[in-house]
Amino acid sequence: MIRLLALRELRGLFAMPSTWFMLAILQFIFTWFFLNTLQTFLEIQPQLAQLANVPGVTTVVAVPLFNLMALLLMMLVPILTMRMIAEERRNHSFALLLSAPLPIRDIVLGKFFGLLTFLIIMMAGVPLMIYTLALGTSLDHGLILGNLLGLLLLTSSYVSLGLYVSSLTVQPIVAAIGALAVLVGLWLADIASSVEDSHWHFISPVNHFQKFNAGLLDSSDVVFFILFSAVFLMLTIRRINNNRIYG
Amino acid sequence: MPNKNSDITLSARNLKRHFGDHLVINDVSLELRRGEVLGLLGHNGAGKTTTMQMLTGCLLPNSGEIEICGINLLRQPVKAKANLGYLPEIPPLYRELSVNEYLSFAARLRGIKAPTVADALAQTINNCGLETVGKKIIGTLSKGYQQRVGIAQAIIHSPAVIVLDEPTVGLDPAQIREVRTLIRDLGNIHSVVLSTHLLSEVESVCDRVEIMQQGKLIYSDTSEHMRQHANASGFIVVLHNPPSLATLEAINGISHVEPITSTKFRVLHNPQDNPKSTLLSMAEQQGWKLEQLTPLQATLEDVYVRITSQERKDETDLKETSR
């Protein structure tokens, strides 16, 4: 059932011309950034060679690119999640799911995995681009895989938060702005706080992603993302259930 | 009648629902048998849609029990909903999908196994007259076709109970007729609950009627009886050379005459004796120049008023006798 719902979300997304437009624009941005940093790398390579601990092409080209993706996701995910529940409720198509013989948990998980799959498809071009470099040089596979895992976990935390905000309102725009406000708020609180042990660092997903980005695989970060996603998914299920109680 | 209990497909007992302090549904109980079409009649805001949302699990009642085919909807929602098809007031469509894609999704969602989806789809498309639009995108269809797609998603899994909220709203007369025929056919095999504010709809498709007013069921009967209620005892008469009102009122059986214009009158009479023939012969004898005589068509309003005033009268009678 979850797979059926996820596939429906995907089909719905790919049926819209705006989705393809967005995919094209993003791919253009990623490629442009990639080629740009690659060119810079080639220009400064002679100078880099003189350093004692030489940063490789993965650190100079791939890491900033992953960082850029994390930043773009913050703005992209709310736009995509606003459709998931708020718009369905506004279009009255949500009654189809509510009157169908499946638990609300399946509805929420179906939407979550549907959107997660879409975002993975959207970002799939980037590792492919990076791995073309393997034709001419050797890459730091550990760093790339760590970044990809971090990006996946970050995406799932953003999607679950976006879904929850989307379940709070029937106005898609309010859902988008609300989710964006929370995500940007968490990010700003993280970079604004200078204290090392601040709680703001702890609750900010971006902060946890930074460690993956630097090539640091800490199990506490993985646990944080899983907990973050699980909490918001559960809140979403509760919220939809409460909508049936309070009308 | 066959075994009574096993044939009850939907039963709701003492449903209550309030939004904030406002009591919207007050103690509603319903029962529906297999092969029966029940019409829920009432004005906008009477609580029809809320009742239907509760019957389909989209809204939880504050108190009361709902059973679908003997399965409790509140305790075993997934099992109970498998026997349910629901068309809300606004059809729940994904406008970006094609009709076939959407209906296949609805079928799978309602638990039809993948290999049999194609059969169910073909049959439903045929039943709802959607053959020509199967590959079209739902968003591009006319309102009438969208409504039919909405009905199709509610019946594709052949559920025991079909709940239709105002299924003919927004359709043109030819489509209304088709949809009513479809509902009538469905009602022979499944149980159908439909809500409407049109009396003619109840007359043409329903076996039984429940009238709802301010969240209460105030009247329940077969639609045959309802029709008798609907036949108001009276007519509109046009006389070019009318006598005085008193003369008209003096005719045996006429209870009240109300002038609409100087030559047009609304004549009410007792349901038992119809003074039409007397009036006709008198008009001929005395040269009143009768031009038109039309029986009054009762509106839902009239029926309401009659039923509610009847209830009120019964209540006061009861009070007086108890004194």
Side-chain angles (χ1 to χ4, degrees):
Chain A
M1 254 336 151
I2 296 174
R3 199 169 63 112
L4 177 73
L5 284 162
L7 284 176
R8 217 272 331 145
E9 287 299 336
L10 276 180
R11 195 170 295 169
L13 276 167
F14 282 119
M16 289 190 301
S18 56
T19 309
W20 293 95
F21 182 71
M22 196 175 74
L23 284 176
I25 293 283
L26 281 172
Q27 192 55 47
F28 175 78
I29 293 175
F30 293 151
T31 313
W32 182 77
F33 189 85
F34 172 71
L35 293 175
N36 217 15
T37 34
L38 189 62
Q39 194 179 5
T40 318
F41 175 74
L42 291 174
E43 277 167 12
I44 60 167
Q45 205 179 14
Q47 294 149 25
L48 284 176
Q50 292 157 11
L51 291 175
N53 200 352
V54 190
V57 68
T58 318
T59 319
V60 179
V61 178
V63 168
L65 185 55
F66 284 122
N67 212 357
L68 172 83
M69 287 168 82
L71 205 68
L72 282 178
L73 275 176
M74 201 186 316
M75 287 145 213
L76 258 174
V77 171
I79 298 172
L80 291 164
T81 51
M82 75 173 183
R83 296 184 61 251
M84 310 301 275
I85 298 171
E87 195 165 290
E88 273 215 37
R89 277 174 69 202
R90 202 182 57 160
N91 291 346
H92 304 272
S93 56
F94 208 55
L96 178 70
L97 303 179
L98 284 182
S99 67
L102 69 165
I104 290 172
R105 185 193 65 217
D106 286 13
I107 301 177
V108 174
L109 287 180
K111 288 185 175 296
F112 172 76
F113 284 116
L115 189 52
L116 197 60
T117 313
F118 173 76
L119 288 164
I120 289 171
I121 295 171
M122 189 193 83
M123 298 186 292
V126 173
L128 290 178
M129 275 193 312
I130 291 169
Y131 269 98
T132 56
L133 295 178
L135 294 173
T137 176
S138 61
L139 294 172
D140 184 348
H141 298 291
L143 185 59
I144 293 175
L145 288 179
N147 263 293
L148 288 175
L149 175 68
L151 215 51
L152 178 71
L153 289 169
L154 184 75
T155 311
S156 73
S157 69
Y158 283 179
V159 170
S160 54
L161 182 105
L163 272 180
Y164 175 61
V165 179
S166 189
S167 72
L168 295 176
T169 167
V170 289
Q171 300 294 337
I173 291 295
V174 176
I177 293 173
L180 187 68
V182 176
L183 291 179
V184 172
L186 283 172
W187 177 55
L188 288 180
D190 174 47
I191 54 174
S193 154
S194 51
V195 190
E196 187 74 2
D197 277 348
S198 168
H199 294 301
W200 291 115
H201 292 315
F202 180 73
I203 61 163
S204 168
V206 176
N207 181 267
H208 290 269
F209 173 72
Q210 296 297 334
K211 290 198 207 153
F212 285 97
N213 198 224
L216 210 65
L217 190 60
D218 187 343
S219 58
S220 73
D221 294 324
V222 178
V223 171
F224 167 81
F225 278 123
I226 291 173
L227 277 180
F228 190 96
S229 308
V231 163
F232 280 105
L233 286 177
M234 273 191 290
L235 283 174
T236 313
I237 295 169
R238 264 193 79 95
R239 178 68 203 185
I240 294 176
N241 214 6
N242 282 355
N243 282 340
R244 294 198 308 155
I245 298 170
Y246 302 113
Chain B
M1 192 162 283
N3 188 344
K4 212 175 148 190
N5 281 329
S6 68
D7 262 19
I8 288 177
T9 48
L10 172 77
S11 106
R13 285 184 297 276
N14 309 104
L15 293 182
K16 269 191 193 171
R17 171 80 213 191
H18 39 77
F19 292 116
D21 291 337
H22 184 50
L23 191 64
V24 183
I25 301 295
N26 187 3
D27 211 12
V28 164
S29 299
L30 282 175
E31 238 173 37
L32 192 62
R33 294 197 178 79
R34 194 175 296 282
E36 188 177 46
V37 181
L38 172 69
L40 207 56
L41 195 61
H43 279 305
N44 296 332
K48 292 174 301 205
T49 298
T50 310
T51 308
M52 298 201 140
Q53 283 177 336
M54 289 196 291
L55 293 180
T56 53
C58 291
L59 201 64
L60 298 179
N62 292 106
S63 66
E65 294 287 329
I66 302 168
E67 273 182 12
I68 292 167
C69 298
I71 307 161
N72 192 309
L73 179 69
L74 306 175
R75 289 200 203 104
Q76 294 174 285
V78 175
K79 242 175 118 186
K81 282 178 189 172
N83 300 307
L84 195 73
Y86 176 40
L87 169 70
E89 215 170 349
I90 297 162
L93 305 173
Y94 291 114
R95 303 173 60 84
E96 68 274 10
L97 298 184
S98 76
V99 173
N100 283 343
E101 278 176 334
Y102 171 74
L103 290 179
S104 307
F105 169 69
R108 291 295 310 280
L109 199 62
R110 262 69 177 268
I112 295 187
K113 296 276 176 292
T116 49
V117 165
D119 291 343
L121 182 70
Q123 205 189 343
T124 313
I125 286 216
N126 189 22
N127 280 345
C128 299
L130 292 166
E131 295 92 341
T132 50
V133 296
K135 290 204 173 84
K136 286 196 177 159
I137 302 296
I138 293 175
T140 64
L141 296 178
S142 67
K143 170 93 173 108
Y145 271 114
Q146 290 190 356
Q147 188 75 16
R148 280 199 236 179
V149 176
I151 296 176
Q153 63 79 19
I155 64 174
I156 192 160
H157 53 308
S158 189
V161 180
I162 301 169
V163 180
L164 306 170
D165 198 348
E166 308 210 343
T168 57
V169 159
L171 302 185
D172 67 39
Q175 292 168 333
I176 289 181
R177 188 172 294 176
E178 284 170 26
V179 168
R180 284 182 186 167
T181 317
L182 177 64
I183 294 172
R184 197 51 262 177
D185 291 345
L186 289 172
N188 293 333
I189 317 158
H190 316 269
S191 312
V192 181
V193 191
L194 66 91
S195 77
T196 179
H197 53 254
L198 302 172
L199 197 57
S200 62
E201 195 145 293
V202 170
E203 281 182 334
S204 55
V205 295
C206 298
D207 302 307
R208 210 151 53 79
V209 187
E210 300 268 4
I211 293 186
M212 198 162 204
Q213 197 182 37
Q214 293 176 344
K216 272 184 176 173
L217 292 178
I218 54 169
Y219 177 83
S220 163
D221 210 337
T222 60
S223 56
E224 202 59 40
H225 279 142
M226 183 78 192
R227 200 167 304 161
Q228 285 167 14
H229 265 291
N231 282 332
S233 13
F235 39 79
I236 303 272
V237 65
V238 176
L239 302 166
H240 276 300
N241 184 18
S244 66
L245 277 183
T247 325
L248 281 175
E249 275 184 334
I251 295 173
N252 200 11
I254 291 183
S255 57
H256 182 67
V257 180
E258 186 188 330
I260 299 169
T261 61
S262 61
T263 58
K264 201 174 184 182
F265 303 90
R266 180 183 286 124
V267 177
L268 299 178
H269 59 79
N270 307 323
Q272 297 83 13
D273 45 349
N274 195 330
K276 199 157 52 183
S277 50
T278 327
L279 183 79
L280 279 174
S281 61
M282 280 187 80
E284 202 181 7
Q285 278 166 24
Q286 307 195 9
W288 292 344
K289 289 191 184 161
L290 182 133
E291 191 181 277
Q292 186 195 340
L293 194 143
T294 326
L296 276 178
Q297 271 299 326
T299 57
L300 179 57
E301 192 67 53
D302 296 333
V303 180
Y304 266 167
V305 170
R306 193 154 319 138
I307 291 164
T308 46
S309 64
Q310 187 67 39
E311 278 209 336
R312 226 170 285 143
K313 205 176 138 222
D314 291 350
E315 270 171 33
T316 43
D317 284 356
L318 222 100
K319 272 180 202 159
E320 271 166 19
T321 47
S322 64
R323 261 179 227 157

